[in-house]
Every structure is written in C-alpha cells, then in structure tokens.
Amino acid sequence: SKISRGWSVLRRWAYPGADALVVQTRAVQKWGQRKFPGVPVHVIPNPVVAVPGPGLRREPVILAAGRLVPQKGFDVLL
C-alpha cells in the first residue's frame, strides 16, 4: 500500500541511520535489504493466525488487542 509523501521522506531520511529495521514479513525484509543496504532487517511475524484451523469457529469475529490508552482508539473501534 502507498504511504504519504511525508512518511516516505521521513523513512528515506531515518532508515539509513537506524541500527536495525524490524518488519513483519519476509517480503518486506527483502524490500528493506534492497532499499537500505547495510541496515540489518529482522522479521518478527504477526503472532495471530488469520485463517482458522479445523474445529475452530467459522463465523466472523472482531478482535482487538492492545494497551487500554486513548492513543489506541478502542472507543472508536466499531
């Protein structure tokens, strides 16, 4: 997905000076290694499995996880 011009500029400025980048997927890891050579890129995958396995409920479920602080916006989730 596209990011705003401001974030794009900030990323080009900040990432090369980072000690490391942490991303969620191998595809983004490859992008980071290509875009910012010399900066280590580590993958920490999302621990939530999006596809239910056998025997799990199949109806839609809404789940939110995070600290209960105003910045997370749980009051406007639905």
Side-chain angles (χ1 to χ4, degrees):
S1 71
K2 294 278 186 180
I3 61 172
S4 73
R5 180 170 160 70
W7 280 114
S8 182
V9 169
L10 184 60
R11 182 168 62 186
R12 282 193 311 266
W13 174 79
Y15 284 16
D19 290 331
L21 297 177
V22 178
V23 299
Q24 283 191 308
T25 67
R26 297 249 182 251
V28 177
Q29 180 186 38
K30 289 177 185 177
W31 169 86
Q33 290 168 333
R34 198 172 52 251
K35 196 85 168 164
F36 306 102
V39 178
V41 184
H42 305 282
V43 177
I44 299 178
N46 191 339
V48 176
V49 177
V51 178
L56 295 177
R57 296 169 43 158
R58 301 271 182 205
E59 59 268 5
V61 174
I62 296 175
L63 174 72
R67 293 177 297 129
L68 294 177
V69 295
Q71 292 87 347
K72 297 294 182 180
F74 284 107
D75 58 326
V76 294
L77 180 62
L78 296 178

XYZ file of all heavy atoms in Angstrom:
605
model
N 0.835 -1.187 0.000
C 0.000 0.000 0.000
C 0.880 1.250 0.000
O 1.999 1.234 0.473
C -0.945 -0.009 1.189
O -0.240 0.212 2.373
N 0.350 2.320 -0.496
C 1.087 3.583 -0.589
C 1.104 4.283 0.772
O 0.170 4.169 1.560
C 0.413 4.502 -1.608
C 0.489 3.980 -3.017
C 1.821 4.332 -3.618
C 1.838 3.947 -5.072
N 3.089 4.258 -5.685
N 2.183 5.007 1.025
C 2.251 5.846 2.212
C 2.307 7.291 1.749
O 2.621 7.573 0.592
C 3.459 5.491 3.110
C 4.770 5.703 2.365
C 3.353 4.075 3.623
C 5.995 5.569 3.230
N 2.023 8.197 2.654
C 2.019 9.611 2.285
C 3.437 10.080 1.965
O 4.433 9.467 2.352
C 1.441 10.451 3.419
O 2.368 10.521 4.488
N 3.509 11.180 1.250
C 4.802 11.753 0.867
C 5.645 12.080 2.097
O 6.848 11.830 2.120
C 4.573 13.001 0.014
C 5.836 13.686 -0.436
C 5.540 14.769 -1.478
N 6.569 15.753 -1.618
C 7.764 15.546 -2.155
N 8.092 14.356 -2.577
N 8.648 16.529 -2.267
N 5.010 12.620 3.134
C 5.733 12.965 4.358
C 6.386 11.747 4.997
O 7.554 11.789 5.398
N 5.636 10.647 5.107
C 6.193 9.424 5.694
C 7.299 8.863 4.804
O 8.304 8.345 5.290
C 5.109 8.375 5.907
C 4.302 8.617 7.139
C 2.978 8.944 7.196
C 4.754 8.577 8.492
N 2.595 9.115 8.506
C 3.659 8.888 9.321
C 5.976 8.311 9.087
C 3.746 8.938 10.702
C 6.067 8.353 10.479
C 4.962 8.667 11.263
N 7.111 8.959 3.500
C 8.120 8.462 2.570
C 9.436 9.220 2.739
O 10.516 8.621 2.793
C 7.604 8.590 1.134
O 8.536 8.080 0.235
N 9.355 10.533 2.843
C 10.552 11.360 3.042
C 11.200 11.031 4.383
O 12.423 10.863 4.476
C 10.199 12.866 2.949
C 11.353 13.733 3.415
C 9.788 13.221 1.531
N 10.399 10.931 5.429
C 10.922 10.607 6.758
C 11.615 9.246 6.753
O 12.684 9.081 7.337
C 9.786 10.628 7.788
C 10.186 10.401 9.233
C 11.160 11.479 9.698
C 8.960 10.376 10.125
N 11.018 8.272 6.081
C 11.594 6.934 6.018
C 12.944 6.967 5.302
O 13.912 6.366 5.769
C 10.620 5.998 5.303
C 11.102 4.582 5.224
C 10.037 3.634 4.796
N 9.542 3.930 3.473
C 8.515 3.307 2.928
N 7.862 2.372 3.597
N 8.125 3.611 1.715
N 13.025 7.678 4.164
C 14.294 7.763 3.421
C 15.380 8.453 4.245
O 16.563 8.152 4.097
C 14.083 8.504 2.104
C 13.435 7.654 1.044
C 13.524 8.278 -0.349
N 13.117 9.673 -0.408
C 11.895 10.098 -0.718
N 10.947 9.234 -0.987
N 11.626 11.377 -0.753
N 14.984 9.356 5.135
C 15.939 10.070 5.981
C 16.360 9.224 7.178
O 17.535 9.153 7.519
C 15.321 11.391 6.438
C 16.174 12.121 7.430
C 17.280 12.885 7.172
C 16.009 12.120 8.847
N 17.792 13.371 8.341
C 17.038 12.917 9.395
C 15.098 11.535 9.710
C 17.170 13.117 10.755
C 15.224 11.741 11.067
C 16.258 12.527 11.569
N 15.386 8.568 7.837
C 15.650 7.903 9.110
C 16.198 6.475 8.978
O 17.086 6.084 9.737
C 14.377 7.875 9.954
N 15.679 5.694 8.057
C 16.048 4.280 7.984
C 17.543 4.035 7.775
O 18.105 3.145 8.398
C 15.247 3.559 6.912
C 13.810 3.249 7.291
C 13.168 3.855 8.357
C 13.078 2.345 6.538
C 11.862 3.581 8.669
C 11.765 2.051 6.846
C 11.160 2.672 7.916
O 9.863 2.386 8.222
N 18.223 4.787 6.909
C 19.660 4.509 6.721
C 20.487 4.693 7.996
O 21.526 4.071 8.145
C 20.081 5.514 5.655
C 18.839 5.797 4.891
C 17.745 5.776 5.931
N 20.028 5.512 8.928
C 20.761 5.726 10.172
C 20.343 4.809 11.301
O 20.895 4.867 12.392
N 19.386 3.924 11.044
C 18.890 3.028 12.086
C 19.898 1.923 12.380
O 20.655 1.494 11.506
C 17.561 2.412 11.655
N 19.906 1.450 13.626
C 20.739 0.295 13.972
C 20.190 -0.966 13.314
O 20.937 -1.874 12.971
C 20.779 0.093 15.488
C 21.567 1.190 16.186
O 22.496 1.745 15.569
O 21.253 1.493 17.344
N 18.865 -1.026 13.147
C 18.212 -2.169 12.506
C 16.770 -1.795 12.194
O 16.224 -0.861 12.782
C 18.248 -3.392 13.409
N 16.170 -2.534 11.269
C 14.745 -2.392 10.977
C 14.055 -3.687 11.401
O 14.607 -4.772 11.228
C 14.503 -2.176 9.486
C 15.088 -0.921 8.855
C 14.810 -0.916 7.356
C 14.514 0.314 9.504
N 12.858 -3.574 11.936
C 12.054 -4.737 12.302
C 10.788 -4.685 11.470
O 10.079 -3.675 11.470
C 11.717 -4.734 13.812
C 10.832 -5.922 14.161
C 12.993 -4.759 14.645
N 10.517 -5.768 10.749
C 9.372 -5.831 9.844
C 8.569 -7.097 10.131
O 9.015 -7.969 10.880
C 9.835 -5.790 8.369
C 10.569 -4.491 8.069
C 10.718 -6.987 8.030
N 7.384 -7.224 9.497
C 6.513 -8.364 9.780
C 6.612 -9.506 8.782
O 6.200 -10.612 9.095
C 5.056 -7.917 9.845
C 4.720 -7.219 11.131
C 3.234 -7.023 11.272
O 2.595 -6.494 10.381
N 2.688 -7.466 12.378
N 7.123 -9.286 7.574
C 7.138 -10.346 6.569
C 8.496 -10.446 5.884
O 9.275 -9.491 5.861
C 6.071 -10.105 5.482
O 6.437 -8.947 4.725
C 4.681 -9.925 6.075
N 8.748 -11.605 5.291
C 9.986 -11.808 4.531
C 10.009 -10.920 3.289
O 11.061 -10.445 2.874
C 10.119 -13.270 4.123
C 10.219 -14.199 5.303
C 11.607 -14.795 5.402
N 11.648 -15.720 6.532
C 12.290 -15.478 7.653
N 12.943 -14.357 7.806
N 12.290 -16.339 8.639
N 8.835 -10.687 2.686
C 8.776 -9.819 1.507
C 9.234 -8.408 1.854
O 10.004 -7.793 1.108
C 7.363 -9.795 0.934
N 8.789 -7.888 2.990
C 9.207 -6.546 3.412
C 10.679 -6.571 3.824
O 11.418 -5.614 3.600
C 8.307 -6.007 4.539
C 8.793 -4.655 5.027
C 6.868 -5.909 4.071
N 11.126 -7.682 4.382
C 12.548 -7.815 4.719
C 13.404 -7.681 3.458
O 14.384 -6.942 3.445
C 12.817 -9.157 5.395
C 14.278 -9.350 5.773
C 14.558 -10.735 6.317
O 14.012 -11.724 5.846
N 15.402 -10.790 7.333
N 13.016 -8.376 2.391
C 13.760 -8.292 1.129
C 13.752 -6.866 0.589
O 14.759 -6.372 0.101
C 13.171 -9.262 0.106
C 13.462 -10.699 0.440
C 12.802 -11.622 -0.563
C 12.994 -13.065 -0.145
N 12.307 -13.989 -1.040
N 12.588 -6.198 0.683
C 12.489 -4.802 0.244
C 13.464 -3.934 1.044
O 14.205 -3.126 0.477
C 11.051 -4.303 0.414
C 10.923 -2.827 0.246
C 10.756 -2.146 -0.917
C 10.991 -1.841 1.287
N 10.702 -0.794 -0.670
C 10.847 -0.583 0.675
C 11.150 -1.896 2.653
C 10.851 0.600 1.397
C 11.167 -0.714 3.378
C 11.015 0.519 2.739
N 13.461 -4.087 2.373
C 14.329 -3.276 3.223
C 15.798 -3.515 2.952
O 16.601 -2.572 2.937
N 16.160 -4.773 2.725
C 17.559 -5.079 2.431
C 17.990 -4.469 1.095
O 19.112 -4.006 0.963
C 17.752 -6.599 2.401
C 17.629 -7.227 3.771
C 17.517 -8.739 3.723
O 17.057 -9.321 2.741
N 17.929 -9.374 4.805
N 17.073 -4.471 0.136
C 17.369 -3.898 -1.179
C 17.428 -2.365 -1.109
O 18.307 -1.735 -1.676
C 16.273 -4.348 -2.150
C 16.578 -4.230 -3.590
C 15.518 -4.882 -4.478
N 14.154 -4.458 -4.192
C 13.220 -5.220 -3.619
N 13.482 -6.463 -3.264
N 12.014 -4.758 -3.395
N 16.489 -1.770 -0.389
C 16.353 -0.312 -0.330
C 17.395 0.335 0.587
O 17.836 1.451 0.337
C 14.940 0.011 0.156
C 14.490 1.401 -0.075
C 13.935 1.555 -1.451
C 13.221 2.876 -1.538
N 12.962 3.286 -2.875
N 17.764 -0.358 1.670
C 18.677 0.209 2.672
C 19.816 -0.770 2.962
O 19.894 -1.342 4.053
C 17.906 0.550 3.954
C 16.733 1.438 3.715
C 15.440 0.926 3.675
C 16.904 2.790 3.482
C 14.354 1.738 3.424
C 15.819 3.620 3.228
C 14.540 3.090 3.205
N 20.703 -0.981 1.990
C 21.809 -1.920 2.197
C 22.665 -1.494 3.383
O 22.880 -0.316 3.619
C 22.591 -1.859 0.885
C 22.138 -0.632 0.190
C 20.788 -0.279 0.720
N 23.113 -2.475 4.136
C 23.938 -2.181 5.308
C 23.152 -2.053 6.588
O 23.726 -2.070 7.667
N 21.823 -1.914 6.490
C 20.976 -1.847 7.689
C 20.380 -3.242 7.909
O 19.693 -3.757 7.029
C 19.837 -0.810 7.534
C 18.954 -0.798 8.772
C 20.395 0.575 7.279
N 20.662 -3.888 9.039
C 20.084 -5.204 9.281
C 18.551 -5.121 9.336
O 17.996 -4.192 9.923
C 20.637 -5.606 10.643
C 21.767 -4.682 10.918
C 21.512 -3.440 10.123
N 17.885 -6.076 8.712
C 16.423 -6.115 8.702
C 15.983 -7.450 9.303
O 16.328 -8.513 8.781
C 15.851 -5.955 7.276
C 14.336 -5.913 7.320
C 16.409 -4.702 6.605
N 15.235 -7.375 10.403
C 14.785 -8.563 11.121
C 13.275 -8.735 10.954
O 12.541 -7.754 10.944
C 15.110 -8.442 12.611
C 16.564 -8.174 12.872
N 17.523 -9.153 12.818
C 17.219 -7.024 13.166
C 18.707 -8.635 13.084
N 18.550 -7.336 13.293
N 12.836 -9.990 10.872
C 11.410 -10.294 10.740
C 10.876 -10.781 12.080
O 11.417 -11.721 12.672
C 11.161 -11.379 9.671
C 9.685 -11.742 9.610
C 11.648 -10.915 8.319
N 9.835 -10.126 12.570
C 9.058 -10.618 13.705
C 7.635 -10.747 13.180
O 6.921 -9.743 13.051
C 9.118 -9.673 14.925
C 10.555 -9.524 15.410
C 8.219 -10.211 16.042
C 10.730 -8.588 16.584
N 7.208 -11.969 12.820
C 5.890 -12.131 12.205
C 4.756 -11.851 13.181
O 4.941 -11.931 14.401
C 5.881 -13.585 11.748
C 6.927 -14.261 12.552
C 7.918 -13.218 12.959
N 3.603 -11.533 12.620
C 2.406 -11.321 13.414
C 2.039 -12.645 14.081
O 1.902 -13.661 13.402
C 1.275 -10.843 12.493
C 0.081 -10.359 13.259
O -0.113 -10.707 14.427
N -0.739 -9.561 12.620
N 1.870 -12.683 15.409
C 1.574 -13.950 16.081
C 0.132 -14.425 15.909
O -0.193 -15.539 16.294
C 1.862 -13.632 17.544
C 1.579 -12.184 17.667
C 1.998 -11.582 16.348
N -0.715 -13.632 15.322
C -2.114 -14.004 15.166
C -2.286 -14.759 13.853
O -1.892 -14.286 12.793
C -3.024 -12.752 15.177
C -4.475 -13.139 14.921
C -2.878 -12.019 16.496
N -2.891 -15.951 13.919
C -3.170 -16.725 12.722
C -4.515 -16.259 12.179
O -5.533 -16.328 12.863
C -3.200 -18.231 13.029
C -3.567 -19.034 11.791
C -1.864 -18.673 13.587
N -4.540 -15.775 10.940
C -5.753 -15.184 10.377
C -6.739 -16.234 9.882
O -7.932 -15.984 9.814
C -5.393 -14.247 9.236
N -6.271 -17.425 9.524
C -7.153 -18.459 8.987
C -7.408 -19.487 10.077
O -6.465 -20.083 10.596
C -6.506 -19.135 7.757
C -7.392 -20.232 7.222
C -6.178 -18.101 6.708
N -8.675 -19.718 10.435
C -8.958 -20.688 11.499
C -8.623 -22.111 11.058
O -8.807 -22.473 9.906
C -10.456 -20.522 11.756
C -10.996 -19.921 10.511
C -9.882 -19.115 9.907
N -8.131 -22.894 11.974
C -7.822 -24.289 11.691
C -9.054 -25.165 11.887
O -10.139 -24.676 12.222
N -8.912 -26.457 11.671
C -10.043 -27.383 11.824
C -10.617 -27.323 13.236
O -9.881 -27.246 14.211
C -9.419 -28.749 11.555
C -8.121 -28.479 10.880
C -7.691 -27.124 11.288
N -11.916 -27.311 13.325
C -12.583 -27.315 14.616
C -12.764 -25.949 15.244
O -13.411 -25.827 16.270
N -12.205 -24.917 14.657
C -12.383 -23.581 15.211
C -13.642 -22.946 14.649
O -14.133 -23.325 13.593
C -11.170 -22.702 14.896
C -9.869 -23.129 15.545
C -8.735 -22.217 15.091
C -9.971 -23.100 17.060
N -14.144 -21.965 15.347
C -15.359 -21.264 14.900
C -15.138 -20.636 13.535
O -14.086 -20.095 13.257
C -15.726 -20.197 15.918
C -16.098 -20.777 17.254
C -16.193 -19.730 18.326
N -16.868 -18.536 17.867
C -17.449 -17.673 18.653
N -17.454 -17.867 19.938
N -18.024 -16.604 18.178
N -16.154 -20.690 12.700
C -16.037 -20.153 11.343
C -16.780 -18.830 11.165
O -16.589 -18.169 10.174
C -16.589 -21.159 10.327
C -15.883 -22.481 10.366
C -14.706 -22.444 9.443
N -14.068 -23.747 9.453
C -12.828 -23.941 9.158
N -12.075 -22.941 8.821
N -12.313 -25.134 9.182
N -17.648 -18.433 12.103
C -18.361 -17.176 11.938
C -17.411 -16.005 12.208
O -16.401 -16.164 12.871
C -19.604 -17.103 12.831
C -19.345 -17.228 14.306
C -19.429 -18.655 14.823
O -19.600 -19.599 14.060
O -19.296 -18.804 16.045
N -17.733 -14.838 11.678
C -16.854 -13.674 11.849
C -16.668 -13.298 13.319
O -17.611 -13.366 14.115
C -17.586 -12.555 11.107
C -18.533 -13.242 10.189
C -18.894 -14.543 10.848
N -15.477 -12.911 13.643
C -15.124 -12.489 14.999
C -14.349 -11.183 14.873
O -13.484 -11.045 14.014
C -14.239 -13.544 15.694
C -13.762 -13.046 17.046
C -14.985 -14.856 15.850
N -14.668 -10.231 15.721
C -13.896 -8.991 15.793
C -13.048 -9.076 17.051
O -13.559 -9.300 18.143
C -14.812 -7.744 15.839
C -15.611 -7.648 14.538
C -13.987 -6.494 16.078
C -16.617 -6.538 14.531
N -11.760 -8.887 16.888
C -10.828 -8.991 17.999
C -9.910 -7.781 17.976
O -9.422 -7.390 16.909
C -9.989 -10.270 17.862
C -8.863 -10.442 18.869
C -9.448 -10.767 20.240
C -7.931 -11.544 18.414
N -9.682 -7.189 19.116
C -8.739 -6.083 19.227
C -7.841 -6.355 20.424
O -8.302 -6.827 21.459
C -9.470 -4.758 19.399
N -6.568 -6.073 20.255
C -5.613 -6.271 21.336
C -4.710 -5.049 21.414
O -4.324 -4.491 20.389
C -4.788 -7.521 21.087
N -4.391 -4.652 22.609
C -3.502 -3.509 22.787
C -3.687 -2.904 24.164
O -4.579 -3.290 24.915
N -2.850 -1.955 24.482
C -2.966 -1.263 25.761
C -4.232 -0.418 25.773
O -4.619 0.139 24.748
C -1.757 -0.337 25.988
C -0.463 -1.080 26.166
C 0.728 -0.134 26.304
N 0.891 0.638 25.077
C 1.011 1.967 25.041
N 1.009 2.677 26.146
N 1.149 2.595 23.895
N -4.857 -0.316 26.896
C -6.068 0.497 27.016
C -5.685 1.945 27.302
O -5.784 2.446 28.412
C -6.981 -0.058 28.117
C -7.574 -1.431 27.824
C -8.393 -1.920 29.016
C -8.435 -1.392 26.574
N -5.217 2.604 26.258
C -4.836 4.010 26.336
C -5.551 4.751 25.215
O -5.919 4.158 24.199
C -3.303 4.193 26.219
C -2.579 3.559 27.395
C -2.769 3.626 24.921
N -5.797 6.036 25.368
C -6.540 6.786 24.350
C -5.942 6.686 22.943
O -6.676 6.642 21.953
C -6.493 8.223 24.860
C -6.317 8.106 26.340
C -5.476 6.873 26.532
N -4.610 6.621 22.823
C -3.975 6.580 21.509
C -4.386 5.359 20.691
O -4.365 5.379 19.469
C -2.438 6.586 21.635
C -1.874 7.854 22.156
C -1.821 7.878 23.682
O -2.410 7.051 24.364
N -1.113 8.863 24.227
N -4.770 4.272 21.351
C -5.150 3.043 20.631
C -6.530 3.147 19.995
O -6.847 2.406 19.084
C -5.098 1.830 21.558
C -3.706 1.553 22.094
C -2.762 1.129 20.988
C -1.394 0.798 21.542
N -0.450 0.384 20.541
N -7.378 4.042 20.482
C -8.671 4.283 19.859
C -9.709 3.197 20.024
O -10.576 3.019 19.171
N -9.655 2.439 21.105
C -10.649 1.391 21.302
C -12.058 1.954 21.409
O -13.021 1.278 21.073
C -10.332 0.564 22.559
C -9.186 -0.400 22.352
C -7.957 -0.173 22.923
C -9.351 -1.529 21.580
C -6.914 -1.041 22.723
C -8.313 -2.419 21.364
C -7.081 -2.170 21.947
N -12.182 3.205 21.821
C -13.517 3.822 21.931
C -14.152 4.055 20.577
O -15.376 4.206 20.477
C -13.422 5.149 22.708
C -12.482 6.138 22.058
O -11.468 5.704 21.462
O -12.738 7.346 22.150
N -13.389 4.053 19.499
C -13.928 4.264 18.156
C -13.745 3.037 17.263
O -13.830 3.119 16.037
C -13.306 5.504 17.486
C -13.695 6.776 18.213
C -11.797 5.371 17.394
N -13.497 1.892 17.868
C -13.224 0.676 17.105
C -14.389 0.275 16.217
O -14.206 -0.076 15.063
C -12.871 -0.469 18.049
C -12.554 -1.811 17.401
C -11.341 -1.694 16.501
C -12.323 -2.871 18.468
N -15.594 0.339 16.739
C -16.760 -0.104 15.946
C -17.464 1.080 15.352
O -17.571 2.110 15.897
C -17.724 -0.900 16.815
C -17.161 -2.197 17.345
C -18.180 -2.878 18.225
C -16.769 -3.114 16.213
